[in-house]
Amino acid sequence: MNIGLDMMGGDFAPLEAVKGLQLYLSGNAAGVNIYAIGDEALVKPLLEEHKVTSPSVHVIHAPEVIGYHEHPTKALKEKQRSSIAIGFHLLATGKIDAFISAGNTGAMLVGAMYSIKPIEGVMRPTISTVVPKLNGTTGLLLDVGLNADCKPEQLNQFALLGSLYAQHILRIANPKVGLMNVGEEEGKGNLLAQATYPLLKENSQLNFIGNIEGRDIFFDKADVMVCDGFTGNIILKLSESIYDLANARELGNDAYFNRFHYENYGGTPVLGVAKPVVIGHGISNAKAFGNMISLAAQMIESDLCGKMAEQFSN
Amino acid sequence: MNIGLDMMGGDFAPLEAVKGLQLYLSGNAAGVNIYAIGDEALVKPLLEEHKVTSPSVHVIHAPEVIGYHEHPTKALKEKQRSSIAIGFHLLATGKIDAFISAGNTGAMLVGAMYSIKPIEGVMRPTISTVVPKLNGTTGLLLDVGLNADCKPEQLNQFALLGSLYAQHILRIANPKVGLMNVGEEEGKGNLLAQATYPLLKENSQLNFIGNIEGRDIFFDKADVMVCDGFTGNIILKLSESIYDLANARELGNDAYFNRFHYENYGGTPVLGVAKPVVIGHGISNAKAFGNMISLAAQMIESDLCGKMAEQFSN
């Protein structure tokens, strides 16, 4: 399999991307070719310095970079030789099977939606985050910010996308799907939640267990937790701050609270588009990059996008 | 001042209410009369047993109780001799200056809105929660569940109600008001947040500091954090569960994480109604009851409701 990695994305690029690649290659990387996309003059010496000399790493020269504050659509159009534009070009033409970047999030989303396109039948792609459960397992929360205002039918689709991700990537058999809400009983919630509940209940592709509340997020009740992107983004950022709180209280060595650190999950895949796209945190470090490459490899290996397309064609 | 306390509300009633009363009276309770509303046959022996014999405690007999699962409006109408109905009757007629109950939340809200009524100019009352800030101060989040779907103008009013609560009860001079959102810049967010931002910005009664994100909730950025009740309720319950997480990880003795325990704030006042009404958690224990009585006393002493009425008449 061939994975494209944007070497120029993230606050510490390209150094942390190089170190992340090194970390990934030190594990089981058999059969994986990495296309390291970035400015040759910067990337090649760093790869050598960090002894990333595996023949499975190929540098693809990209002389331009899309900055964090550039307008996504405009930048993608004007900077055809940027690492993100080249990455999507390689992905769209099948030269690579997945693309990863910790660069301009907007540009990554625009690229995912317009050069890769949503799976047929998917109204809106979604982004998710993994959630560390107290019992040691991992849950999935979505949408976490791509869709601030949602329609009930979109949440119903996110539930299915999340459920397939939980099955094939998190390896949870028959994942329990919960609707984020303010009470347990059917009929509770805002208008969106009230209208979404019956759709989830009737969806035979889901193992819907009903409403879940804020107190259930880190506990066993549901594996896949569905909400609009406004609510989900607030939960995501609040959850990330729990790590900071634990750290500030010098509880940063607790194995559970450590799981709230973003680097442990690395990046968020864009779910509902036809090919694997993984977006990293701006502050991605080596560990985060390493984990994003592993995630992309899992997404390719499990043919997650193919399985999603299959379910949506039903 | 005269405070009414429902002795029959809460999972451990009337015992914990009695113990909470005892706890409160062991502190500085000068000038406070407590009207303990409940079944005499149950309440009086417990008060004696716990040596709550102060002449400032008056038992008001209420032979009926509204259960947790009763329909609020129906129960209030049919059970006129219930502790909640009697409490609101005493409050409406001026026999007591504040009413506290850990009983049926719906009945408390219905009572607050229909027997006490909103302050003139307030579209919808709101409920809030205090938020433990890492720096040791206390913030306020509202709405936390009374209004699942909101209009921008309602959020603007919640901001003012919360700001006055922060000034007069939390003793924060010129409290910083933030709009819960998914990004820092104006224009971010769902349709509600986008439409609310300009209202807050133009409201000269507020010290509006702009958008805040999930990661800012426990930090210094804003003292008063405004959102719809759906989002707020999820944040509230998630935050309460942080205490459970810390406890499960045997970090329960951390002074900061302990502040997430509901008993330390006791109950939530209904803001925007004409008289002080405090609603407790079903699981309220003695400490929670004691803190709710203190809160009611502070609300009376500061004439919070009067100050709110004044601001809304401007």
Side-chain angles (χ1 to χ4, degrees):
Chain A
M1 64 179 79
N2 303 313
I3 296 175
L5 175 64
D6 176 8
M7 305 304 285
M8 311 308 284
D11 299 345
F12 313 110
L15 178 63
E16 292 299 318
V18 168
K19 285 161 71 180
L21 188 47
Q22 183 190 33
L23 193 65
Y24 176 74
L25 294 169
S26 70
N28 178 15
V32 178
N33 288 302
I34 305 285
Y35 289 79
I37 309 163
D39 187 339
E40 264 183 3
L42 291 168
V43 173
K44 280 195 167 167
L46 274 175
L47 287 173
E48 274 162 39
E49 191 186 315
H50 289 81
K51 302 191 174 51
V52 184
T53 52
S54 160
S56 61
V57 175
H58 314 275
V59 176
I60 305 283
H61 183 51
E64 293 177 306
V65 176
I66 295 180
Y68 273 106
H69 297 290
E70 292 193 58
H71 186 277
T73 321
K74 192 165 168 276
L76 269 178
K77 194 181 286 176
E78 288 174 5
K79 291 188 168 172
Q80 300 266 342
R81 301 183 71 206
S82 63
S83 50
I84 293 181
I86 289 176
F88 279 112
H89 177 74
L90 294 174
L91 187 60
T93 54
K95 300 279 192 330
I96 57 177
D97 307 304
F99 179 49
I100 301 162
S101 174
N104 185 311
T105 304
M108 284 299 289
L109 292 170
V110 170
M113 296 218 250
Y114 297 97
S115 68
I116 304 308
K117 299 204 168 59
I119 288 167
E120 202 172 323
V122 172
M123 300 164 75
R124 288 279 300 171
T126 175
I127 55 175
S128 62
T129 187
V130 291
V131 174
K133 297 277 189 179
L134 186 63
N135 68 3
T137 64
T138 299
L140 192 76
L141 175 77
L142 74 173
D143 181 86
V144 294
L146 189 48
N147 306 281
D149 288 288
C150 290
K151 296 190 171 69
E153 186 50 51
Q154 289 170 338
L155 294 196
N156 191 22
Q157 292 198 341
F158 298 164
L160 179 55
L161 292 168
S163 195
L164 292 166
Y165 186 86
Q167 280 170 60
H168 298 291
I169 305 296
L170 304 179
R171 316 262 177 188
I172 301 169
N174 199 23
K176 294 175 285 185
V177 175
L179 175 63
M180 277 307 316
N181 209 330
V182 298
E184 285 190 342
E185 307 85 0
E186 182 168 359
K188 286 275 182 182
N190 57 11
L191 297 172
L192 174 64
Q194 288 175 32
T196 303
Y197 191 105
L199 298 182
L200 297 176
K201 197 175 165 186
E202 285 156 26
N203 187 337
S204 61
Q205 291 171 299
L206 303 177
N207 174 19
F208 179 55
I209 55 95
N211 290 326
I212 56 165
E213 299 176 79
R215 66 169 64 94
D216 302 317
I217 296 172
F218 305 117
F219 295 86
D220 306 354
K221 212 162 163 187
D223 302 303
V224 176
M225 299 169 280
V226 181
C227 60
D228 64 87
F230 185 84
T231 308
N233 185 271
I234 289 171
I235 296 172
L236 165 67
K237 289 175 180 163
L238 194 171
S239 302
E240 286 185 349
S241 83
I242 294 176
Y243 174 80
D244 300 320
L245 295 178
N247 226 17
R249 300 301 300 174
E250 294 177 359
L251 307 173
N253 285 325
D254 180 78
Y256 176 65
F257 284 108
N258 272 352
R259 293 175 61 209
F260 284 86
H261 197 298
Y262 81 94
E263 70 179 12
N264 290 314
Y265 51 87
T268 179
V270 183
L271 302 182
V273 291
K275 293 184 179 189
V277 174
V278 178
I279 305 180
H281 226 294
I283 52 169
S284 289
N285 60 10
K287 190 173 175 187
F289 276 106
N291 282 332
M292 284 194 277
I293 304 172
S294 297
L295 172 57
Q298 278 180 277
M299 288 175 77
I300 298 167
E301 203 173 7
S302 64
D303 186 26
L304 180 66
C305 296
K307 294 202 164 77
M308 287 176 170
E310 201 177 291
Q311 290 290 318
F312 274 87
S313 71
N314 283 349
Chain B
M1 65 179 79
N2 303 313
I3 297 176
L5 176 64
D6 176 7
M7 305 305 284
M8 311 308 285
D11 299 347
F12 312 109
L15 179 62
E16 292 299 317
V18 167
K19 286 161 70 179
L21 188 46
Q22 183 190 35
L23 192 66
Y24 176 73
L25 294 170
S26 70
N28 179 13
V32 179
N33 288 301
I34 305 286
Y35 289 80
I37 309 162
D39 188 339
E40 265 183 1
L42 291 170
V43 174
K44 280 195 166 168
L46 273 176
L47 288 173
E48 275 162 37
E49 192 187 316
H50 288 83
K51 303 192 175 51
V52 183
T53 54
S54 160
S56 61
V57 175
H58 314 275
V59 175
I60 305 282
H61 183 52
E64 293 178 304
V65 175
I66 296 179
Y68 273 106
H69 296 292
E70 293 193 57
H71 186 277
T73 320
K74 192 163 168 279
L76 270 179
K77 194 182 284 175
E78 289 174 4
K79 291 187 170 172
Q80 299 265 343
R81 301 182 71 205
S82 65
S83 50
I84 293 181
I86 290 176
F88 278 113
H89 178 72
L90 294 175
L91 187 60
T93 55
K95 301 278 192 329
I96 56 175
D97 307 305
F99 180 48
I100 302 162
S101 174
N104 185 309
T105 304
M108 284 299 289
L109 293 170
V110 170
M113 294 216 251
Y114 296 98
S115 68
I116 304 307
K117 297 203 169 57
I119 288 167
E120 202 173 323
V122 172
M123 300 164 74
R124 287 280 301 174
T126 174
I127 54 175
S128 60
T129 188
V130 291
V131 174
K133 297 279 189 177
L134 186 62
N135 67 4
T137 65
T138 300
L140 192 76
L141 175 77
L142 74 176
D143 183 86
V144 295
L146 189 48
N147 306 280
D149 288 288
C150 290
K151 296 191 172 68
E153 185 51 51
Q154 289 170 339
L155 293 196
N156 191 22
Q157 293 198 340
F158 298 165
L160 179 55
L161 293 168
S163 195
L164 291 166
Y165 187 87
Q167 279 171 62
H168 297 293
I169 305 295
L170 304 180
R171 315 261 177 189
I172 302 169
N174 200 25
K176 294 175 286 184
V177 175
L179 175 64
M180 278 307 314
N181 209 329
V182 298
E184 286 191 340
E185 307 85 359
E186 183 169 357
K188 286 275 182 181
N190 57 10
L191 296 173
L192 174 64
Q194 287 175 32
T196 303
Y197 191 106
L199 298 183
L200 297 176
K201 196 175 165 185
E202 286 155 26
N203 187 338
S204 61
Q205 292 170 298
L206 302 177
N207 174 19
F208 179 55
I209 56 94
N211 290 327
I212 56 166
E213 299 176 79
R215 66 168 65 93
D216 303 317
I217 296 172
F218 304 116
F219 295 86
D220 307 353
K221 213 163 163 187
D223 302 303
V224 176
M225 299 169 278
V226 181
C227 59
D228 64 86
F230 185 84
T231 308
N233 184 270
I234 290 170
I235 297 172
L236 164 67
K237 289 175 181 164
L238 193 171
S239 302
E240 286 185 349
S241 82
I242 294 175
Y243 174 80
D244 300 321
L245 294 178
N247 226 16
R249 298 303 299 174
E250 294 177 0
L251 305 173
N253 285 324
D254 181 79
Y256 177 66
F257 284 108
N258 271 352
R259 293 175 60 211
F260 284 86
H261 197 298
Y262 82 93
E263 70 179 12
N264 290 313
Y265 51 89
T268 177
V270 184
L271 302 182
V273 291
K275 295 184 180 187
V277 175
V278 178
I279 305 179
H281 226 295
I283 53 169
S284 288
N285 60 11
K287 190 173 176 187
F289 276 107
N291 283 331
M292 283 194 277
I293 305 173
S294 298
L295 172 58
Q298 278 180 277
M299 289 174 77
I300 298 168
E301 202 172 8
S302 64
D303 186 26
L304 180 65
C305 296
K307 293 202 165 78
M308 286 175 170
E310 201 176 292
Q311 290 289 317
F312 273 87
S313 72
N314 285 349

